[in-house]
Amino acid sequence: MLEEIKAQAAAAAAELCDKAGLKAGQLLVVGCSTSEVCGDRIGSNSSPEAAQALFEGIYGVLKARGVYLAAQCCEHLNRALIVERGALPGAEIVNVVPRPKAGGSFATAAYGGFEDPIAVEEIRADAGLDIGDTLIGMHLKRVAVPVRLEQKTIGSAHVTAARVRPRFIGGERAVYDSSML
């Protein structure tokens, strides 16, 4: 089961990177309920083993592409984020270390798996992957656009994805430049 979760997570991350056109240096936020992945209600049965499989699948894809991962903590840590220090130079760091039942298993796996992890209260990511309906929208740049993935579930969890695009300013006479995407 864990190998299947890892493969599904990698497939979802790769598909989102491709469809969103993510480039090296950009930031992808992931919110994840391992309880939902394992078939339980969100917040009820955190699984460090499932989290490790998810992290390995997603992080392997992103690292190979030079895309940074931001792991969203659970509501007990006000949805703080765990990122590599290099992703956010000069960021205001908060003093917290996630644990499976206080921050979430996925954020805990990211904290243990990153070379130089930090925690921050907020970011503005270029794309997002929501595994188990954890609500990642607050961490996306404006304007968020849904991305329909072929990988609709990971384990038993529903998967939702989004990318961002620049806001359209200036009305009907404005020039749209697709190279900005």
Side-chain angles (χ1 to χ4, degrees), residues 10-33:
E15 185 180 359
L16 177 55
C17 285
D18 291 343
K19 287 186 172 180
L22 292 180
K23 296 172 180 49
Q26 289 188 300
L27 191 60
L28 184 139
V29 62
V30 174
C32 178
S33 168

Side-chain angles (χ1 to χ4, degrees), residues 157-181:
H158 176 250
V159 174
T160 303
R163 65 173 179 83
V164 299
R165 64 154 176 82
R167 292 184 284 166
F168 295 133
I169 304 294
E172 64 187 53
R173 294 186 183 190
V175 176
Y176 170 65
D177 183 358
S178 64
S179 69
M180 298 290 293
L181 299 178

